mmCIF file of all heavy atoms in Angstrom:
data_model
loop_
_atom_site.group_PDB
_atom_site.id
_atom_site.type_symbol
_atom_site.label_atom_id
_atom_site.label_comp_id
_atom_site.label_asym_id
_atom_site.label_seq_id
_atom_site.Cartn_x
_atom_site.Cartn_y
_atom_site.Cartn_z
ATOM 1 N N THR A 187 -3.403 -1.806 1.393
ATOM 2 C CA THR A 187 -3.322 -0.831 2.481
ATOM 3 C C THR A 187 -2.381 0.315 2.152
ATOM 4 O O THR A 187 -2.434 1.369 2.800
ATOM 5 C CB THR A 187 -2.842 -1.484 3.800
ATOM 6 O OG1 THR A 187 -1.520 -1.991 3.623
ATOM 7 C CG2 THR A 187 -3.776 -2.597 4.241
ATOM 8 N N TRP A 188 -1.512 0.118 1.147
ATOM 9 C CA TRP A 188 -0.524 1.145 0.788
ATOM 10 C C TRP A 188 -0.935 1.924 -0.462
ATOM 11 O O TRP A 188 -0.093 2.520 -1.129
ATOM 12 C CB TRP A 188 0.842 0.494 0.529
ATOM 13 C CG TRP A 188 1.573 0.106 1.762
ATOM 14 C CD1 TRP A 188 1.510 -1.086 2.410
ATOM 15 C CD2 TRP A 188 2.495 0.905 2.497
ATOM 16 N NE1 TRP A 188 2.339 -1.089 3.502
ATOM 17 C CE2 TRP A 188 2.957 0.124 3.580
ATOM 18 C CE3 TRP A 188 2.972 2.208 2.351
ATOM 19 C CZ2 TRP A 188 3.866 0.607 4.505
ATOM 20 C CZ3 TRP A 188 3.893 2.680 3.272
ATOM 21 C CH2 TRP A 188 4.332 1.886 4.339
ATOM 22 N N ASP A 189 -2.185 1.955 -0.819
ATOM 23 C CA ASP A 189 -2.608 2.594 -2.066
ATOM 24 C C ASP A 189 -2.056 4.012 -2.208
ATOM 25 O O ASP A 189 -1.984 4.770 -1.237
ATOM 26 C CB ASP A 189 -4.137 2.645 -2.137
ATOM 27 C CG ASP A 189 -4.635 3.166 -3.467
ATOM 28 O OD1 ASP A 189 -4.580 2.414 -4.445
ATOM 29 O OD2 ASP A 189 -5.040 4.340 -3.517
ATOM 30 N N ASN A 190 -1.666 4.362 -3.421
ATOM 31 C CA ASN A 190 -1.016 5.664 -3.682
ATOM 32 C C ASN A 190 -1.997 6.764 -4.054
ATOM 33 O O ASN A 190 -1.609 7.805 -4.587
ATOM 34 C CB ASN A 190 0.022 5.513 -4.794
ATOM 35 C CG ASN A 190 -0.611 5.098 -6.121
ATOM 36 O OD1 ASN A 190 -1.828 4.957 -6.218
ATOM 37 N ND2 ASN A 190 0.210 4.883 -7.129
ATOM 38 N N GLY A 191 -3.268 6.541 -3.778
ATOM 39 C CA GLY A 191 -4.285 7.535 -4.102
ATOM 40 C C GLY A 191 -5.017 7.249 -5.397
ATOM 41 O O GLY A 191 -6.017 7.896 -5.704
ATOM 42 N N SER A 192 -4.520 6.264 -6.157
ATOM 43 C CA SER A 192 -5.135 5.980 -7.462
ATOM 44 C C SER A 192 -6.515 5.344 -7.324
ATOM 45 O O SER A 192 -7.359 5.483 -8.216
ATOM 46 C CB SER A 192 -4.224 5.060 -8.285
ATOM 47 O OG SER A 192 -4.032 3.826 -7.633
ATOM 48 N N PHE A 193 -6.764 4.667 -6.191
ATOM 49 C CA PHE A 193 -8.060 4.014 -6.031
ATOM 50 C C PHE A 193 -9.205 5.012 -6.066
ATOM 51 O O PHE A 193 -10.283 4.716 -6.592
ATOM 52 C CB PHE A 193 -8.107 3.233 -4.714
ATOM 53 C CG PHE A 193 -9.466 2.672 -4.396
ATOM 54 C CD1 PHE A 193 -10.003 1.650 -5.160
ATOM 55 C CD2 PHE A 193 -10.218 3.189 -3.359
ATOM 56 C CE1 PHE A 193 -11.268 1.146 -4.886
ATOM 57 C CE2 PHE A 193 -11.479 2.702 -3.079
ATOM 58 C CZ PHE A 193 -12.002 1.667 -3.844
ATOM 59 N N PHE A 194 -8.991 6.202 -5.527
ATOM 60 C CA PHE A 194 -10.066 7.190 -5.494
ATOM 61 C C PHE A 194 -10.570 7.516 -6.890
ATOM 62 O O PHE A 194 -11.745 7.846 -7.075
ATOM 63 C CB PHE A 194 -9.592 8.472 -4.803
ATOM 64 C CG PHE A 194 -10.701 9.447 -4.535
ATOM 65 C CD1 PHE A 194 -11.510 9.310 -3.423
ATOM 66 C CD2 PHE A 194 -10.940 10.508 -5.390
ATOM 67 C CE1 PHE A 194 -12.544 10.206 -3.176
ATOM 68 C CE2 PHE A 194 -11.963 11.411 -5.156
ATOM 69 C CZ PHE A 194 -12.769 11.254 -4.043
ATOM 70 N N GLY A 195 -9.703 7.415 -7.898
ATOM 71 C CA GLY A 195 -10.108 7.724 -9.262
ATOM 72 C C GLY A 195 -10.389 6.507 -10.121
ATOM 73 O O GLY A 195 -10.611 6.639 -11.331
ATOM 74 N N SER A 196 -10.392 5.320 -9.523
ATOM 75 C CA SER A 196 -10.532 4.089 -10.300
ATOM 76 C C SER A 196 -11.994 3.710 -10.545
ATOM 77 O O SER A 196 -12.866 3.967 -9.707
ATOM 78 C CB SER A 196 -9.850 2.930 -9.574
ATOM 79 O OG SER A 196 -8.467 3.156 -9.443
ATOM 80 N N GLU A 197 -12.230 3.087 -11.682
ATOM 81 C CA GLU A 197 -13.548 2.535 -11.971
ATOM 82 C C GLU A 197 -13.739 1.270 -11.166
ATOM 83 O O GLU A 197 -12.839 0.427 -11.094
ATOM 84 C CB GLU A 197 -13.668 2.245 -13.465
ATOM 85 C CG GLU A 197 -15.050 1.786 -13.894
ATOM 86 C CD GLU A 197 -15.158 1.593 -15.393
ATOM 87 O OE1 GLU A 197 -14.184 1.917 -16.100
ATOM 88 O OE2 GLU A 197 -16.216 1.106 -15.854
ATOM 89 N N ILE A 198 -14.903 1.115 -10.560
ATOM 90 C CA ILE A 198 -15.167 -0.039 -9.699
ATOM 91 C C ILE A 198 -16.282 -0.872 -10.311
ATOM 92 O O ILE A 198 -17.429 -0.426 -10.399
ATOM 93 C CB ILE A 198 -15.569 0.415 -8.281
ATOM 94 C CG1 ILE A 198 -14.483 1.319 -7.690
ATOM 95 C CG2 ILE A 198 -15.790 -0.801 -7.376
ATOM 96 C CD1 ILE A 198 -14.874 1.953 -6.368
ATOM 97 N N ASN A 199 -15.942 -2.081 -10.724
ATOM 98 C CA ASN A 199 -16.925 -2.954 -11.365
ATOM 99 C C ASN A 199 -17.178 -4.256 -10.607
ATOM 100 O O ASN A 199 -18.061 -5.027 -10.987
ATOM 101 C CB ASN A 199 -16.466 -3.302 -12.790
ATOM 102 C CG ASN A 199 -16.425 -2.085 -13.695
ATOM 103 O OD1 ASN A 199 -17.370 -1.293 -13.719
ATOM 104 N ND2 ASN A 199 -15.328 -1.912 -14.430
#
Side-chain angles (χ1 to χ4, degrees):
T187 63
W188 283 90
D189 186 75
N190 63 2
S192 61
F193 173 68
F194 189 82
S196 297
E197 185 176 355
I198 304 173
N199 295 313

